[in-house]
Amino acid sequence: MRFSDFFTVFFLLALSTLTDAQPGKGYIQGRVLDEQSKEPLQYVNILVVENGMGTRTDSSGYFRLGPIDARYYTLKISYVGY
């Protein structure tokens, strides 16, 4: 492989990692709070039922799933001991 070919491939790979959003894709994101106290719930499990993709909330109750195809999904939320 010549240097110019390597540079072209490297540039295209670098460029593809910079593009955050893909056509027809998006993110499911939000925050999980206690209904009564409005305190954020840490480490809550969130699962997309249709494809098995999952994540959990951070220490401030926030989560983000994706990139994922843009459509309607069913989320299963679980929290041990709550």
Side-chain angles (χ1 to χ4, degrees):
M1 180 182 280
R2 297 185 325 236
F3 177 78
S4 62
D5 293 337
F6 173 78
F7 181 78
T8 302
V9 170
F10 176 79
F11 179 76
L12 291 174
L13 287 174
L15 184 62
S16 70
T17 61
L18 295 176
T19 58
D20 193 24
Q22 300 169 4
K25 302 261 184 191
Y27 291 89
I28 300 172
Q29 58 189 13
R31 190 173 192 199
V32 180
L33 304 172
D34 180 275
E35 185 176 7
Q36 292 179 352
S37 70
K38 305 300 184 215
E39 292 291 318
L41 296 179
Q42 302 176 3
Y43 315 116
V44 175
N45 296 309
I46 297 146
L47 177 73
V48 178
V49 173
E50 289 79 3
N51 65 10
M53 182 183 286
T55 190
R56 67 177 184 191
T57 60
D58 64 13
S59 61
S60 299
Y62 290 101
F63 70 93
R64 182 174 176 170
L65 277 164
I68 191 168
D69 291 332
R71 54 174 266 189
Y72 289 100
Y73 291 101
T74 304
L75 298 180
K76 182 178 180 182
I77 313 296
S78 61
Y79 190 49
V80 176
Y82 203 79

